[in-house]
Amino acid sequence: MFYTESKNAEEMVREQILSRDILDPAVVSAMRSVPRHAFVNQKYADLAYSDQPLPIGLGQTISQPYVVAFMTQALRISPKSRVLEIGTGSGYQAAVLSKIAREVYTVELLETLAKKAETVLKNIGIRNVRIRQGDGRDGWPEFAPFSHIIVTAASEDIPKELEKQLAIGGRMIIPVGNRDRTQYLVLVQKEKDSIRKEKILPVRFVPLVKDSSKHVSKKKGAA
Ligand code: SAH
């Protein structure tokens, strides 16, 4: 195992965020105020503020702090925003978004993770995040349209439903690509008569899977 000294949120922000050109004051302050240690397993507590993703169980990971900050900054959310996140995982990215946006809706495929994230968010007093268990490729039609959408698992395509549920003038950030190819964060900007897509950063995310049966059978090693 590797060893990293224990770091706190202040050091994390100085060494991994400000030093790498994440300068939006709202994002910096959100990164400072969310207790990342509350979202990682006890055995990784010492690594909670280190510069890397960490396992959160069921083969999933909590993203590297810099990637969370980068995606949040690229979304350009404000206190008026209604944000949809796909891939709740630990709930950390949702917590960071919730410090800036008015409301955050987040969808997680794996029920165990969705429940755990709900408990953590409640315990740290975050009330403007709503979690649903389900396939995030369907978005959350009841609450659409969203001013912003953030997908935190890599997809081979941009799901049509998500494009549909993005408001006109809205922004979506989604990692596109598969495990073997390079994945890129793609910024999608929706206007009245057009959709603009641009690659903004090479990344590496766990896959956005299509349904839970596929997810479970994969883990069991079935066909
Ligand atoms: N944002 C998370 C990290 C996400 S890891 C955090 O801050 O901790 C990616 C997550 O996407 C995993 O929890 C995985 O279970 C979930 N996921 C994968 N496919 C999905 C799908 N189709 N719908 C919803 N969630 C999905």
Side-chain angles (χ1 to χ4, degrees), residues 28-157:
V28 173
S29 131
M31 294 299 294
R32 263 199 193 104
S33 68
V34 177
R36 191 170 156 93
H37 60 264
F39 295 86
V40 307
N41 293 348
Q42 204 51 50
K43 66 176 169 183
Y44 296 113
D46 282 358
L47 297 172
Y49 296 95
S50 65
D51 192 13
Q52 66 194 85
L54 293 170
I56 54 171
L58 304 174
Q60 308 305 322
T61 54
I62 174 175
S63 308
Q64 179 191 3
Y66 172 71
V67 172
V68 171
F70 181 91
M71 289 173 86
T72 307
Q73 178 167 272
L75 275 178
R76 300 202 192 145
I77 53 174
S78 77
K80 289 185 187 154
S81 307
R82 297 177 72 247
V83 186
L84 173 68
E85 179 195 28
I86 306 304
T88 314
S90 67
Y92 178 69
Q93 172 76 74
V96 170
L97 295 166
S98 81
K99 296 288 178 183
I100 308 170
R102 184 153 58 106
E103 290 156 7
V104 178
Y105 297 84
T106 179
V107 184
E108 168 57 50
L109 187 61
L110 304 176
E111 192 168 11
T112 317
L113 293 180
K115 287 212 168 117
K116 200 163 162 197
E118 195 155 37
T119 306
V120 174
L121 291 170
K122 193 171 157 217
N123 288 346
I124 62 170
I126 289 178
R127 289 179 222 289
N128 56 339
V129 176
R130 204 184 275 227
I131 305 184
R132 169 172 90 80
Q133 184 276 323
D135 186 347
R137 296 178 59 89
D138 302 332
W140 199 335
E142 292 89 324
F143 294 105
F146 300 96
S147 61
H148 299 82
I149 299 181
I150 173 172
V151 182
T152 62
S155 181
E156 290 185 16
D157 56 359

Side-chain angles (χ1 to χ4, degrees), residues 171-187:
R171 291 162 77 85
M172 163 159 53
I173 302 279
I174 174 168
V176 179
N178 62 30
R179 253 189 220 285
D180 316 315
R181 276 203 321 264
T182 311
Q183 305 166 357
Y184 279 94
L185 278 185
V186 173
L187 169 66

